[in-house]
Structure formats: C-alpha cells, structure tokens
Amino acid sequence: MPATRWDEFAQNSRCRAACGVSAATVSRVLNGRSTVNPELAARVHAAVRELGYRPNGVARNLRRRQTTLWAVLISDVGNPFFTSLVRGVEDGGRQFGYSVVLCNTDENRAREAEYIAVALADNMAGVIISPADDNTDISALVAAGTAVVTIDRELAETEVDAVMVDNEKGAEMATGHLLESGYRRIACITGPRRMSTAMQRLRGYQRALRSAGLPQDRALIRHADFREEGGYSAMASLLDEGVEIDAIFAANNLMTVGAVECLTERGVPIPDRVGVIGFDDIPWARLFRPGLSTVRQPTYELGRAAAQLLADRIDNPARPTARLVLQTELHPRESSRTRTS
C-alpha cells in the first residue's frame, strides 16, 4: 500500500473500521499524543501494521513548513569531481536525518534559478549550491530564511556559509612542481572569467611564475569552459598558433583530459615534448599512459563539511557565518617527470 499522511489514514473509512475509533483518536495516536487510552492506542497501531500504512514525512513536515530534504545544486553531474562531492553531502545528510535531492544546473543560470524556485516552493530545509558563476542570485533563499551553503565556488557579495579548497595554493603547487621539474614555458588552461575557482587557480599559476622570476606571458593563458571540449579546443589553439610551450597546467580534471586527447591526436609526446599536470585527481589518472600528474582535491570531505555546516545552520540560524577552506595534495606522476635536457 502506498505511503500516505497520517491524517489521510485517520480519515479513511477502512482505517477507522479496523481501529474501531474516531478519526480524531487515530490522529492523536499517530501524532504521538499521550492523552489516548493505551488500549485504544494499541488498536490503532495494530491497524497500521495490518493495512501497511507508513507516515509520509515530507507531507507531514510540509504542513509544519519544514521538510527533511536538502536540495544540492551542482553544475555538472557528469564530472567525477561532483560525483564524489555529492556522495559526501548525502552521507553527511543521512547522519543528521536529512535526504538529498540532486539538481544538475549544467552551468546554466536560468536552470539554476528554476531549481532555487523549486527549493523554495517545496520548503526544503536547506540548500547546498555550487554556483553556476559569481553572479548567481540566492537572495530569495536568504530572504526566506532558508539555510544555504555554497560549495566549491563562493559568492563574494553574499554572506552565507561556504566550503572550498585553497585554489590559489593548489594551482601554485602544481605550477611550482612543473618549474622544479625543469619546465619553463608553462601554459595555463583555466575556466571562465566569471567563476571564482577559475580566477583563483589562474592567480596561483601566476604567483608560482613570479616566485620563480619568470615573466608573465598572456599568450600562454587560455580560458575555457571547465569541460573536456574546452580543454581540447584550448590546447588546439596553443598548438595552431605556434605558441612555444613545454608544459601545460589545466585547471580542472575534464579540461586536462581534453588537453591530453588533443596532444595525443597531434602526436605530441607527453612528457618528452610537453609535460602535463591537472587540477582534480581523476579516478583513472594512474591508468593514463603516461600516468597523469594531478593536484587532488578532498572532494568527499568537501561534501561532508558542507553537510555539517548546513545542519549546524538549520539548528542555529543565528550563528556567525563560517568559511571552511580545505587543502589540496600534489600527486606527481610520469606526465610531469623531470626534464633531462
């Protein structure tokens, strides 16, 4: 028998007949009131078991204007980074008694706005969002008093809880590794200018070059779309324009795959001619030939931390805003091995 609300159970004639009591008595028993005769209460619970009814928590909580659902808005469900991140959110949410509704915005602000409207209409207990870009508007959520945590990307003009990694440090570490391995003409393929993560990783790359006393060359920088196709196109443009490079730092996992695909198709050997390192540890990075050097983000831990922040915000709406920054790890492999000449 399908799930239904306890009030529907109380109003159903079969239920009342099985219980032998009034609808009001059924409702009081099933909503935990202690003012019902124990014998009548036992009769009601027996009827519940016999008829196979169970409470619909969403419907019950909607009447109290609170659900046990979280909306998780991510920008690309096909990216392994977000797969692991959402698993962390889900595991954390279950620990605190919440279920997760996954929404894929596909980096589209209009779709993102639709999901925000749904979260408000359905009285979601909270929202975890990886913004489509730095101009994402979450003012309606804030105005409604909905608990919000931004993850991976942050919104500079909005005071909400946030959890992310130290993007600048991670990019500086990746570029520094290439420099220490003997590479000097290092290109950077980063994401759109409208995204905080893309610009932070670009700044980390530039900081590493400055620390090494190397000049900034705009010809070495490409902005793409954080997708595999974008990485491929950016790499192709560097090759087609004849830009002198000996290494690539790609600012996310999918663009790294695209760049490597382009190099492979063009017959450019890695790392003999061009060294490669990417941001995000791709699950199959060690299976690449050569093995792919990466900067690992603690993706699952990001999700768990966001879940903790959201649960804390729901329990204590007045607490100060929190901003958690997790650290990355360098995973050097064969694609960035030390140059011998």
Side-chain angles (χ1 to χ4, degrees), residues 194-338:
R194 58 188 171 83
M195 292 185 184
S196 60
T197 47
M199 300 311 294
Q200 289 163 0
R201 293 171 193 177
L202 175 60
R203 288 196 295 270
Y205 157 82
Q206 293 170 328
R207 192 164 66 191
L209 294 180
R210 284 196 303 271
S211 297
L214 295 178
Q216 304 290 312
D217 187 347
R218 291 181 180 272
L220 293 171
I221 298 172
R222 293 291 186 276
H223 288 272
D225 60 0
F226 276 144
R227 303 290 178 90
E228 186 174 339
E229 295 81 2
Y232 185 102
S233 297
M235 188 69 251
S237 73
L238 287 164
L239 297 176
D240 292 342
E241 293 171 19
V243 179
E244 181 188 351
I245 61 171
D246 59 16
I248 289 288
F249 163 57
N252 91 326
N253 52 3
L254 297 184
M255 292 194 303
T256 306
V257 172
V260 168
E261 182 181 2
C262 180
L263 289 169
T264 301
E265 286 186 3
R266 299 289 186 96
V268 178
I270 303 170
D272 294 337
R273 183 175 160 195
V274 175
V276 176
I277 190 168
F279 203 105
D280 295 339
D281 196 21
I282 304 166
W284 53 90
R286 61 173 57 88
L287 302 180
F288 272 72
R289 291 295 177 269
L292 189 59
S293 297
T294 60
V295 171
R296 178 188 175 273
Q297 294 195 73
T299 50
Y300 179 83
E301 292 80 1
L302 279 169
R304 288 297 297 254
Q308 178 72 64
L309 281 180
L310 191 62
D312 289 348
R313 175 62 59 189
I314 292 169
D315 291 342
N316 185 8
R319 70 162 172 77
T321 301
R323 181 178 183 270
L324 300 182
V325 180
L326 307 186
Q327 298 303 313
T328 57
E329 297 176 354
L330 178 66
H331 286 245
R333 299 185 179 97
E334 186 67 11
S335 70
S336 63
R337 70 166 182 256
T338 301

Side-chain angles (χ1 to χ4, degrees), residues 24 44 50 54 61 120 148 159 167 220 263 270 295 303 315 318 323:
V44 171
E50 178 185 345
R54 59 187 176 87
N61 287 328
L120 286 167
V148 182
E159 283 293 321
N167 288 293
L220 293 171
L263 289 169
I270 303 170
V295 171
D315 291 342
R323 181 178 183 270

Side-chain angles (χ1 to χ4, degrees), residues 25-45:
T25 299
V26 173
S27 181
R28 287 200 302 275
V29 170
L30 297 180
N31 283 288
R33 304 290 178 80
S34 60
T35 56
V36 180
N37 182 288
E39 181 182 346
L40 297 181
R43 199 184 304 168
V44 171
H45 288 300

Side-chain angles (χ1 to χ4, degrees), residues 47-93:
V48 168
R49 291 191 297 272
E50 178 185 345
L51 296 175
Y53 277 83
R54 59 187 176 87
N56 186 329
V58 173
R60 185 174 67 243
N61 287 328
L62 280 172
R63 294 196 299 277
R64 297 200 301 259
R65 297 198 57 77
Q66 180 185 8
T67 71
T68 56
L69 293 178
W70 289 350
V72 179
L73 280 62
I74 61 170
S75 55
D76 185 3
V77 72
N79 188 329
F81 167 82
F82 287 109
T83 304
S84 178
L85 184 149
V86 170
R87 177 62 183 270
V89 172
E90 183 180 29
D91 287 352

